[in-house]
Amino acid sequence: MSRTYADPIDVRRVGECPSEDSPDQFLWRGRLYVVRAVIAHWIESSVWWGGSRRALEGALPAHEHEVWRVEAQAGRSDATGVYDLRRDMVADRWILARSMD
């Protein structure tokens, strides 16, 4: 089962080069999730996922989002889930876009 969200999240990167590494943790609804694995990573343009007609016609620039599909766990006893973490590349803001059971 898949659920869509648009909840703001705080993403933490703790690698040697945090600006380039995949997300290591994220805080969602007061709970810290630890990323166990990166499943996929891609870039989406707003033109493809619901941009306005003006953007589709080229009158407005495409807005890009970076998406990380990760397997993460909130606690040692919690089940692992799959989450899509989306970063607005212009505003550098993150949201939880989808969770999959």
Side-chain angles (χ1 to χ4, degrees):
M1 181 169 164
S2 173
R3 295 184 189 110
T4 58
Y5 299 93
D7 293 354
I9 57 173
D10 178 25
V11 170
R12 299 172 183 177
R13 295 175 171 166
V14 295
E16 290 180 23
C17 247
S19 63
E20 297 176 12
D21 291 344
S22 63
D24 294 310
Q25 305 171 343
F26 62 96
L27 188 63
W28 178 45
R29 295 183 177 175
R31 295 188 76 184
L32 181 66
Y33 290 76
V34 176
V35 174
R36 302 293 181 201
V38 173
I39 298 169
H41 173 240
W42 66 91
I43 304 293
E44 292 179 344
S45 170
S46 61
V47 172
W48 293 109
W49 60 267
S52 70
R53 182 171 182 83
R54 289 177 54 204
L56 289 169
E57 294 170 351
L60 296 174
H63 196 83
E64 291 189 336
H65 294 84
E66 178 181 32
V67 181
W68 292 86
R69 179 164 289 165
V70 300
E71 184 178 85
Q73 185 175 18
R76 291 182 182 170
S77 61
D78 283 353
T80 302
V82 175
Y83 303 89
D84 284 356
L85 312 179
R86 188 169 70 209
R87 181 175 74 97
D88 179 325
M89 296 173 73
V90 173
D92 196 29
R93 282 183 277 185
W94 289 85
I95 65 163
L96 178 75
R98 180 179 309 272
S99 73
M100 293 155 265
D101 298 333

